[in-house]
Amino acid sequence: KNFLVYGDAYKSISFLMWREDILKLILLGKDFDTLEVTAVSMLWSGNKLGLVAADRKENYQVYCFSPTTEGSKEGAVLLPVADMHLGSTISTFLPMHQPSAQLTAAGKMAPHLQGTAQMLLIYGTLDGSIGCCTPISEIGYQRLLWLQKRMHTELPHPCGLHPKAFRMCTATKSKTLPLAQKYRVHPIIDGDLVSRYCTLDFIKQNNLAHLNKTQPFLLVNDILQASQFLHHC
């Protein structure tokens, strides 16, 4: 409750902390690139915090505040860790806590959901669409990441339009390009793409799972777990 992130129409985002003892906002870090921000919010899971910014070029990007990481200048520079082209301009974010339905009767997280999202982020766009982004468990992320890579090449796509090319961020070239190349190593899972796996016949599902050295039911379970939060919104 003592942290604040805000976006500028031209100068990207800044991360601040409210010091109640001196009644003052302290600037912790900022992005020094030029970015026309349209919406900004926070996304957290456990003790990990992501700063999410949407821009006028229909992208959204995730930054982290990491004072101990090389190149961050003791936190003064926010590190870009992930990005995706959405295809619509996001106008607002709505953070929501993970639904209580995911907890057991004892008030603890179900064993199969250990390490998953603590909250999700609903967004609305200028063309009227609504979407959601949420952290998932590391194991589930690795399986879905490999599935996404396989689906890029193993499945036919409408009109020959490649989803990987479509999802590439179209933001202005970064002034801190070495930082971006070094730390932006965690692609965002394209939910629209991987959800197609559940609609494939058993043979195709089994073949893709075999290429990923896993089982079809594990991939389906990961997809359903990532999407079931929406049913409680």
Side-chain angles (χ1 to χ4, degrees), residues 62-64 79-83 183-187:
V62 182
Y63 299 83
C64 75
L79 303 178
V81 293
D83 56 48
Y183 297 107
R184 193 177 279 126
V185 294
H186 303 292

Side-chain angles (χ1 to χ4, degrees), residues 202-215:
F202 175 75
I203 295 178
K204 289 183 179 179
Q205 286 188 350
N206 196 53
N207 289 339
L208 285 171
H210 178 72
L211 290 173
N212 295 328
K213 299 181 180 180
T214 185
Q215 299 295 322

Side-chain angles (χ1 to χ4, degrees), residues 58-187:
E58 303 180 341
N59 311 292
Y60 70 86
Q61 305 182 56
V62 182
Y63 299 83
C64 75
F65 172 71
S66 181
T68 59
T69 300
E70 179 185 0
S72 70
K73 298 182 179 179
E74 298 184 347
V77 178
L78 298 178
L79 303 178
V81 293
D83 56 48
M84 174 181 279
H85 179 69
L86 187 65
S88 300
T89 302
I90 296 176
S91 59
T92 185
F93 285 114
L94 176 63
M96 298 184 65
H97 286 281
Q98 179 181 310
S100 57
Q102 305 305 318
L103 303 180
T104 64
K108 297 182 179 180
M109 188 177 293
H112 68 284
L113 291 178
Q114 291 288 344
T116 60
Q118 300 298 316
M119 57 90 69
L120 53 86
L121 200 58
I122 306 294
Y123 61 80
T125 69
L126 294 180
D127 61 14
S129 60
I130 298 176
C132 171
C133 52
T134 179
I136 58 176
S137 67
E138 181 64 25
I139 295 177
Y141 173 80
Q142 293 298 332
R143 280 198 290 256
L144 292 182
L145 179 61
W146 279 106
L147 175 63
Q148 176 173 276
K149 292 179 179 179
R150 292 297 185 181
M151 293 182 72
H152 281 157
T153 56
E154 299 295 331
L155 295 183
H157 302 292
C159 302
L161 300 176
H162 203 294
K164 182 178 180 179
F166 175 72
R167 293 302 183 185
M168 291 182 64
C169 182
T170 58
T172 304
K173 186 176 181 180
S174 174
K175 297 176 183 177
T176 55
L177 187 59
L179 280 179
Q181 293 176 330
K182 184 175 182 178
Y183 297 107
R184 193 177 279 126
V185 294
H186 303 292

Side-chain angles (χ1 to χ4, degrees), residues 192-207:
D192 289 338
L193 176 63
V194 297
S195 62
R196 287 179 55 192
Y197 181 81
C198 298
T199 67
L200 300 177
D201 59 59
F202 175 75
I203 295 178
K204 289 183 179 179
Q205 286 188 350
N206 196 53
N207 289 339

Side-chain angles (χ1 to χ4, degrees), residues 26-46:
I26 307 297
L27 178 65
L28 298 178
K30 63 179 298 184
D31 175 33
F32 289 89
D33 289 331
T34 298
L35 190 68
E36 297 178 86
V37 176
T38 59
V40 66
S41 187
M42 297 184 189
L43 184 65
W44 64 88
S45 176

